[in-house]
Amino acid sequence: DSGVTQTPKHLITATGQRVTLRCSPRSGDLSVYWYQQSLDQGLQFLIQYYNGEERAKGNILERFSAQQFPDLHSELNLSSLELGDSALYFCASSASGQDSPLHFGNGTRLTVT
Amino acid sequence: GENVEQHPSTLSVQEGDSAVIKCTYSDSASNYFPWYKQELGKRPQLIIDIRSNVGEKKDQRIAVTLNKTAKHFSLHITETQPEDSAVYFCAAFKGGSQGNLIFGKGTKLSVKP
């Protein structure tokens, strides 16, 4: 167990809908990362937060947004969902957001029908 | 931004043989290089990492080497076992206030008994 908690584990929704994915980092970790992994694909970096502030942004679509709350949990909001958004979404946390190891949660599998 | 190339994309070895996966990075400012193992349907797990002030690091059957001049790093697995079968991802981290961890596209390793 990595100590990173992601909910829900599975999510099935229709095109055009909006969903929220939740992540609780390991105790003591200040930085949260979001990654998207499509079928048989690599890990696409979406966004990183450190202690409530956005630190880095990857190829995150404008339909997607995220935030990190004062208690350090993070939410990833996906709106106007398309079939191509179906993927495994991972959250990871690290102690400092610098050169410290990332610990991944078990992911949320999103299926858009 | 940082770009990480990983080769090969698939690798098949006989049990007991060695496996080598290579990665190159583009940004000379990158200073932290972790390797992750992802089994089917599971989260990526850190198996070994190396920082730019070190040329080699070993942990039992796993070793990583780093050539800063050539900007490449490699994962070496000796005496492979069937349970080593998984997808392996390399990554490079560029420090600074806008730092983030960029992953290679992964290598699917199959160890045949």
Side-chain angles (χ1 to χ4, degrees):
Chain A
D1 184 14
S2 67
V4 179
T5 303
Q6 286 189 251
T7 58
K9 290 183 180 179
H10 302 278
L11 201 49
I12 302 174
T13 189
T15 55
Q17 295 298 304
R18 173 189 168 95
V19 297
T20 297
L21 282 53
R22 183 186 169 103
C23 170
S24 293
R26 289 192 325 160
S27 177
D29 283 358
L30 299 178
S31 193
V32 169
Y33 299 71
W34 286 98
Y35 286 87
Q36 179 192 55
Q37 186 174 43
S38 302
L39 191 63
D40 291 334
Q41 295 294 311
L43 293 156
Q44 297 297 317
F45 171 67
L46 296 178
I47 198 163
Q48 179 201 357
Y49 284 86
Y50 176 77
N51 204 20
E53 301 282 332
E54 181 183 306
R55 170 162 284 186
K57 214 168 188 176
N59 296 323
I60 187 168
L61 299 172
E62 286 190 6
R63 300 184 285 109
F64 295 1
S65 64
Q67 55 184 326
Q68 186 179 29
F69 295 87
D71 67 353
L72 301 178
H73 91 271
S74 178
E75 292 181 356
L76 178 67
N77 300 297
L78 314 176
S79 61
S80 302
L81 286 168
E82 302 175 358
L83 296 177
D85 297 328
S86 296
L88 196 53
Y89 290 84
F90 284 106
C91 168
S93 73
S94 70
S96 68
Q98 296 294 320
D99 58 344
S100 54
L102 265 63
H103 300 273
F104 284 81
N106 289 326
T108 292
R109 183 169 294 283
L110 173 66
T111 302
V112 182
T113 61
Chain B
E2 177 64 276
N3 183 49
V4 178
E5 299 282 340
Q6 183 172 349
H7 300 280
S9 57
T10 59
L11 180 59
S12 182
V13 300
Q14 209 64 35
E15 183 178 359
D17 288 349
S18 295
V20 180
I21 302 170
K22 299 181 179 181
C23 289
T24 60
Y25 60 98
S26 60
D27 194 330
S28 57
S30 292
N31 57 8
Y32 173 62
F33 308 91
W35 285 87
Y36 286 82
K37 176 184 180 182
Q38 186 178 27
E39 297 177 2
L40 190 62
K42 297 189 176 180
R43 61 183 171 87
Q45 291 188 275
L46 179 72
I47 55 172
I48 196 167
D49 57 9
I50 192 168
R51 288 176 169 75
S52 57
N53 58 345
V54 175
E56 184 174 0
K57 184 176 179 180
K58 192 172 182 180
D59 182 4
Q60 299 182 336
R61 296 186 298 109
I62 294 173
V64 58
T65 58
L66 171 65
N67 183 325
K68 285 168 50 182
T69 303
K71 291 189 283 188
H72 67 70
F73 56 113
S74 301
L75 177 71
H76 304 254
I77 306 174
T78 59
E79 299 172 20
T80 54
Q81 301 166 3
E83 50 266 38
D84 294 329
S85 296
V87 178
Y88 291 81
F89 292 97
C90 64
F93 179 86
K94 176 185 171 183
S97 62
Q98 299 300 317
N100 60 70
L101 197 63
I102 302 299
F103 285 82
K105 293 190 182 300
T107 296
K108 185 174 183 179
L109 174 64
S110 299
V111 180
K112 298 179 179 179

